[in-house]
Amino acid sequence: MAKVAVGMLAHSVDFRPDGAHLAVGGANGVIKVLQVADMTQLIAQMQHCKEAIDDLKYSPDGTQLAAGSHDNFIDVYDVTNNYTRLARCMGHSSYIRHIDWADSSKVLQSSCGAYELLYFTAATGKQVQQNQRDTLWHTYTNILGFTVMGIWPTYSDGTDINAVCRSYSLQAWKSIDPLASDSSQLVVTAGDDGRVRLLNYPCVIDDAPAKVYSGHSSHVMNVRFSPHNKWVTSVGGKDRAVFQWRVLPHMQEKQAEPASQAPKVYIYPATQKRLMQDLPEQQATVEPALQEPKEFVPLQTKQPQHTYEITTVTSNIRGAGTDCGVFIIIYGSNGHSGEQKLENHPDNFSRGRADTFSLTLPVGLGQLQRLRIGHDSKGSCPRWHLTHVLVIHKGSEAPPVTFPCGQWFARDEGDGATVRVLQAAALGDNSTTEGSKQPRRYRIEVNTSDVKGAGTDANVSITLLGSAGSSGPHKLENSRNNFERGAVDVFELEAGVGQLQAIRIGHDNTGLGSAWHLKEVLASSPGMGPLQFVANRWLAVNEADGQTFITLRPTSGQGTPPLRKYRVHVHTSDIRGAGTDANVHIVLFGMNGQDSGPLKLENSKNNFERGAEDVFFLELPDLGELTAVEVGHDNSGAAPGWHLEQVVVVEVGSNRCWAFTCDRWLAKNEDDGVIRRRLLPLANSSTTTYRVTTYTSDLRGAGTDAGVWVELRGELDGKLSQGPRLMLDNSSNNFERGAVDTFLLKKQQNLGQLTSVTIGHDSKGMASGWHLDHVEVADDASGVTYYFPCDAWLDKQQGDGAVERLLKAASKEEAAAAEKLAYKVTVYTSDIKFAGTDASVFIDILGNRNGQSTSSGRVALNNSKNNFERAAIDTFS
């Protein structure tokens, strides 16, 4: 047993099943998780409630923690992900009293002050409506339920029993469990009359027989069996007494016997050590320790031990070392190590130092895949620059695994992250230790132009982009008068980006005079020739194109590859309150650890409104195949909460396209409270998202008020596949004359290559007739877009009277053989000042057919809309 000051009034506690963590709930709504081996070490701290935490329960598998509060909520936390919140269970009309987990760790039951017994799914927080009478519960501490309906005496009310506890059936304690020989279980109750009662379990008959024990001089507040069922502990109210009751399998005469020694009591900080001795029949004295403890010692079984040698290499650059507490979690094909503190020397994590630690686990992790490493930001140097981590499984034939990093763990450097997930490098790849990720010092010269008003008072930052990824934004500041007209400001920074290919520089548009005219930037480093990045332009919201950031390539001499242009489509969900006023940023992750660094998504539009699709263009070094994106916001503005539907990234000039589905809140007061999420692509998934775009003809009466539906068909692995009939509806006024409407069909079965669609309507509404030009369906998993021509009425009063049509996908062969083919022309007007036009715009499409040059001739681009406005996207057929 141990004691430590937690800095708050503790209201509830619970141990993780493996005994490694202790969760403490406070009267102020704060939850603190302590490391049992050294209770001065704080593993996590959470607060999502304003009132007291009334009950805490770990799931049987130890991966989740449920916390019931006086706010009427139950929050479920992911233990494996640093105790991030998974879900919130809502539905109780009063404060939470008791929580129990099912053996499956998937369902929990809870009771409240209004005497409601509810069930919830832990992963989602949704209430389970079905009866759970036959569910096997890992613990039973609820005062309500079918199996404890007989604990209530005749004429009692809900205040007469304060707590219950069912005995345990744990295999680890079977050899010393006094109840192990009896197949039945017991349940003990804490009464408001000051008595403790013992009954058989399940207890389902009215006014069930019970053994009654007196001792408390006040009401009994709580009662619990020990894990091996040898003891029952009860806690009194105003008598401030704790009673320990011995559980006997049968009635025995009282016999004097020598007292057994209890475990040592450690006080943190340790000012003294004392021993508590438990005597039979509620007698206790405090004496010096004479022998080793006999009670509460878990069974020891010999198991094979797996030892991992972990080596961290701190970078040899200025300020790279740290005195913070560093922790690590290693993930393999067979599981993870759990959070482990790295500490064995006072000089751990000093600049240029390689530190080696030993980790022993009862079960091997299998093939190592990734690790999570970070620090607690405490100490005098809350920064750390890590080169890489090397992990060796001792005693096995597995080769050493390297996890490259080359990044800062600091809130004021790079992207501000203090915890990172590192992926294992490919076998034989030593570039992480000797090559591209090795950090180097750069000298950055920023030349402000010598023109009127060129200087800026805004905060300027720069991001270095190279063959090994991004440095993240670095704030450029070493004087109060940086970036004055005609000035040359010199800065030094460290980054590991490999071969420098581009820079992204700009400002945050703050201050009285934020507009800035940048002339050029010079970058140099030992062993690398100087690179010149010419701008000669304004970075201001009211000048030129209104952009405050720009990506620049070196002018000559380095043979750097050209930048790639990426088009990012951001779809905000079409639900209430989905839009955000916050500043949104994105990070693109490519192969071999490359990334774009955080990039702000902004243009002249009012972006991220409910149901909107916003398009942004980014110029970056080639990232290769995208493996993930990270999207988040800064939680600023009047309504920062945001529900993101999905992100689609298209590499302009190629056929590569990646879709990243989110369909979750990024809000501190919704879902799990996270405002930044990492999303994985949909490729190779059994489900996908289809984007169905309908093009209503630009003819008189072409629009419809009817309900439109669609059915998709395809071919997958040589077999025909068909999706369900789905309504096309959102919050907009759809299917108007000349309108282009897009609908997201989320989490649909992947139908393979689409061959046809059936589209129709229900003929309801004042004007149900509809003239459809064509339909496009984009498969976000494969990046392929299918074209389905129609050019016909869906109207009982027009044409053939049909209100549904089967449309076949236009194949390449059909397109090549057709004398005429419908083209979709999308025009993106630039987002710069005065970019729009009122002139008549035409297009001439040139091609080569059967060896002969062909031309469409001049075709006017015109429809019933106000086209070619600034930053507009106009589509013509």
Side-chain angles (χ1 to χ4, degrees), residues 298-374:
L299 295 178
Q300 301 294 329
T301 58
K302 290 187 176 181
Q303 296 180 350
Q305 300 293 313
H306 296 261
T307 301
Y308 292 86
E309 185 179 273
I310 304 168
T311 302
T312 62
V313 180
T314 301
S315 304
N316 189 20
I317 61 177
R318 183 180 179 184
T322 185
D323 58 356
C324 296
V326 175
F327 60 86
I328 191 172
I329 305 175
I330 305 174
Y331 296 86
S333 57
N334 294 339
H336 62 82
S337 66
E339 187 174 296
Q340 306 292 331
K341 185 177 180 180
L342 301 182
E343 183 180 27
N344 59 16
H345 194 275
D347 294 331
N348 285 145
F349 317 114
S350 298
R351 172 177 173 175
R353 179 184 171 95
D355 296 288
T356 301
F357 308 90
S358 181
L359 172 62
T360 301
L361 300 174
V363 180
L365 299 177
Q367 182 179 355
L368 302 186
Q369 299 170 342
R370 65 188 187 279
L371 61 81
R372 187 173 188 266
I373 190 168

Side-chain angles (χ1 to χ4, degrees), residues 277-285:
Q277 185 180 36
D278 296 319
L279 295 177
E281 306 303 330
Q282 306 172 2
Q283 299 177 6
T285 60

